[in-house]
Amino acid sequence: MNRFEDFTTRIVQQVGKKEGPISPVMVNSASFGYGDSETGEGIFEGSIKKPLYARVGNPTSAQLEQVLASMDGGIGAVSASTGMGAIAMATLSLLRAGDEIISIGGLFGGTYSYFSETLPRFGISTKFFDVDALIEVENAITSETKVIFLESVGNPNMRLPDIATIAQIANAHGVALIVDNTTTPMSVLPLLLGADIVVYSTTKIITGNASALGGAVVYRPIAEGEDKFKSERYRDIQPFIQKMGAMALIAVAKKRALRDFGMSANGFGSYLTMLGLETLPLRMDRIVTTIESVAGKLSEAGFVVNHPCLADHPHHERYKTQFANGCGTIFTIDLGSKEKAFEFLNRSKLITITANIGDSRTLGLHMASTIYRDFDDATKAFLGITPGLVRISIGLESAYAIIDDFISASKI
Ligand SMILES: *Cc1c(COP(=O)(O)O)cnc(C)c1O
């Protein structure tokens, strides 16, 4: 049985309708008529569930939110204009000046500069740790720590976190755990491992074909009895818990982030995202299988490959046990120098050179001259960015075609 079998069945049923239009109905109106003033009052008050204004909710995006929430076992989701929008939403709705973030592993370049350059301007600081520095993480938690942030797979360092153990630490200290699961949707289910919030850039493998920018945040319910979000640490969200109960984190995100910052998804983008989402289990299954044969064969052919399916990777055991459904579409190869990396990419007939990941096509990018070009040497070393490093995102092509192309592109 294919490891994504259950998702294959559920997602196509949830995206398509049995009556009327089968493909999701694409609504792209910015505003919505209320009909009469009493209905308008009811919509604003919340007693009537109809669209208010597209910045705070769109019917097509609402369907996408339901499918994503069900995929991750959350109570609900809020879609966003981009993955960075989703990260901003998930964090800003919990944080205020003076708060601290603990960031573990990773880290995507945009997230790193958001944490290290932008948030400090608003009095929010971040400490960065390796995925295995869990004692240091525990010691760094203070009463001002509101968020522990984690990427499910280090991009591009390919280090794998022990998500369940990190969730135990977050829960023991009453701190929210946010997991950026962009690279491993359906393969890793962070809420089931004890995380509170999952963020996605749906731009990547979820849509899968570079047709739409998008993001989403999936939330767990607030528990009826004890819950860490009911503590003094999260005093700002107590009014939402009193009013909205289990759905409080979604209400906070909509009010604090969507309404006031406006990183809202649009109907057309959400429509395209759902068309991608319905084939995600099939694409994921193929790519996580292809990536193992490509990484293995290239490594045998003498490439310096970084992927945890290889026996010499420090997280090989964790890959086999906690990442049994694969760790997404990316791996890196180190060609030794910038010149060799450029030559390889330019000679390949198959690689599309771009900053994206998670596409139907195999993509590649030299890291130090692009996404990480403005980072100082110490930061590059921390993030694992060496001069010859090329990040590859495997697509739907045949493993044999990819291996042949890479081997011929590397021969001078
Ligand atoms: C691409 C990416 C983001 C940002 O997503 P955008 O849709 O480009 O804003 C965030 N996190 C990870 C891991 C990513 O790969």
Side-chain angles (χ1 to χ4, degrees):
M1 192 165 108
N2 142 357
R3 42 193 158 180
F4 299 95
E5 198 78 30
D6 175 42
F7 286 115
T8 309
T9 306
R10 271 168 50 204
I11 301 282
V12 289
Q13 296 288 328
Q14 289 169 343
V15 171
K17 292 262 181 348
K18 295 233 165 28
E19 254 185 79
I22 293 171
S23 158
V25 176
M26 205 274 283
V27 177
N28 218 24
S29 191
S31 60
F32 302 90
Y34 308 142
D36 54 59
S37 304
E38 287 75 13
T39 305
E41 184 180 33
I43 291 173
F44 272 74
E45 176 196 76
S47 59
I48 298 178
K49 301 276 173 244
K50 282 189 171 170
L52 187 155
Y53 180 69
R55 175 160 33 79
V56 290
N58 162 291
T60 310
S61 302
Q63 188 188 346
L64 170 65
E65 288 161 0
Q66 274 177 10
V67 183
L68 290 174
S70 137
M71 173 177 103
D72 264 297
I75 192 173
V78 185
S79 51
S81 52
T82 64
M84 284 315 299
I87 290 169
M89 181 193 298
T91 49
L92 292 178
S93 51
L94 297 179
L95 294 162
R96 59 155 65 223
D99 286 346
E100 297 166 7
I101 300 173
I102 287 179
S103 170
I104 306 176
L107 200 58
F108 178 70
T111 312
Y112 183 78
S113 79
Y114 170 62
F115 285 166
S116 64
E117 294 173 28
T118 300
L119 284 182
R121 297 172 52 222
F122 301 93
I124 297 161
S125 62
T126 302
K127 295 194 187 98
F128 299 91
F129 298 93
D130 176 68
V131 286
D132 287 331
L134 298 187
I135 294 169
E136 290 86 340
V137 163
E138 250 188 309
N139 291 338
I141 297 173
T142 73
S143 58
E144 313 314 320
T145 309
K146 298 272 173 46
V147 166
I148 298 179
F149 189 93
L150 176 68
E151 270 181 23
S152 61
V153 176
N155 168 10
N157 71 10
M158 300 309 299
R159 292 176 65 72
L160 302 180
D162 179 347
I163 300 176
T165 301
I166 294 170
Q168 275 169 15
I169 294 174
N171 286 327
H173 292 268
V175 180
L177 176 62
I178 302 178
V179 177
D180 182 340
N181 201 34
T182 297
T183 45
T184 47
M186 293 180 180
S187 306
V188 174
L189 298 170
L191 297 186
L192 305 189
L193 296 172
D196 304 292
I197 299 168
V198 184
V199 299
Y200 287 106
S201 165
T202 59
T203 317
K204 311 293 170 56
I205 188 70
I206 291 183
T207 300
N209 51 25
S211 61
L213 273 170
V217 187
V218 184
Y219 290 96
R220 72 159 171 89
I222 300 287
E224 259 181 42
E226 261 190 41
D227 192 300
K228 63 185 168 189
F229 288 109
K230 293 179 181 166
S231 73
E232 178 57 17
R233 190 186 303 267
Y234 298 103
R235 56 193 173 277
D236 290 345
I237 67 172
Q238 298 320 308
F240 292 87
I241 295 179
Q242 270 148 30
K243 193 157 167 236
M244 304 294 297
M247 297 287 283
L249 293 175
I250 290 162
V252 175
K254 289 208 161 186
K255 181 151 185 173
R256 288 280 100 85
L258 271 197
R259 196 189 68 169
D260 297 356
F261 284 98
M263 65 282 270
S264 324
N266 68 78
F268 187 41
S270 299
Y271 171 75
L272 292 171
T273 303
M274 278 188 275
L275 298 190
L277 184 55
E278 79 176 8
T279 58
L280 175 62
L282 295 179
R283 289 181 287 113
M284 250 343 216
D285 186 54
R286 179 170 170 93
I287 293 172
V288 299
T289 307
T290 304
I291 205 166
E292 289 191 0
S293 29
V294 172
K297 281 281 183 305
L298 291 181
S299 169
E300 280 168 27
F303 279 81
V304 179
V305 181
N306 186 5
H307 189 277
C309 73
L310 301 172
D312 62 354
H313 189 284
H315 293 144
H316 182 60
E317 282 307 311
R318 197 171 283 166
Y319 177 75
K320 288 198 293 189
T321 52
Q322 299 185 36
F323 289 79
N325 295 327
C327 66
T329 70
I330 63 173
F331 67 90
T332 62
I333 49 184
D334 193 336
L335 291 133
S337 68
K338 175 180 167 182
E339 292 65 35
K340 291 233 168 69
F342 274 31
E343 235 164 55
F344 168 76
L345 286 167
N346 293 343
R347 285 167 60 98
S348 162
K349 294 199 167 49
L350 200 137
I351 295 173
T352 301
I353 303 172
T354 178
N356 198 13
I357 58 169
D359 198 271
S360 302
R361 285 144 287 270
T362 291
L363 315 175
L365 190 69
H366 177 247
M367 295 279 94
S369 62
T370 58
I371 298 176
Y372 298 94
R373 59 172 300 123
D374 296 330
F375 291 46
D376 60 42
D377 289 346
T379 312
K380 278 194 228 162
F382 173 76
L383 298 174
I385 313 299
T386 49
L389 196 73
V390 169
R391 182 184 68 195
I392 300 293
S393 175
I394 290 293
L396 300 176
E397 302 94 340
S398 128
Y400 304 106
I402 299 170
I403 294 161
D404 284 351
D405 177 76
F406 280 31
I407 289 177
S408 52
S410 69
K411 288 199 182 118
I412 312 294

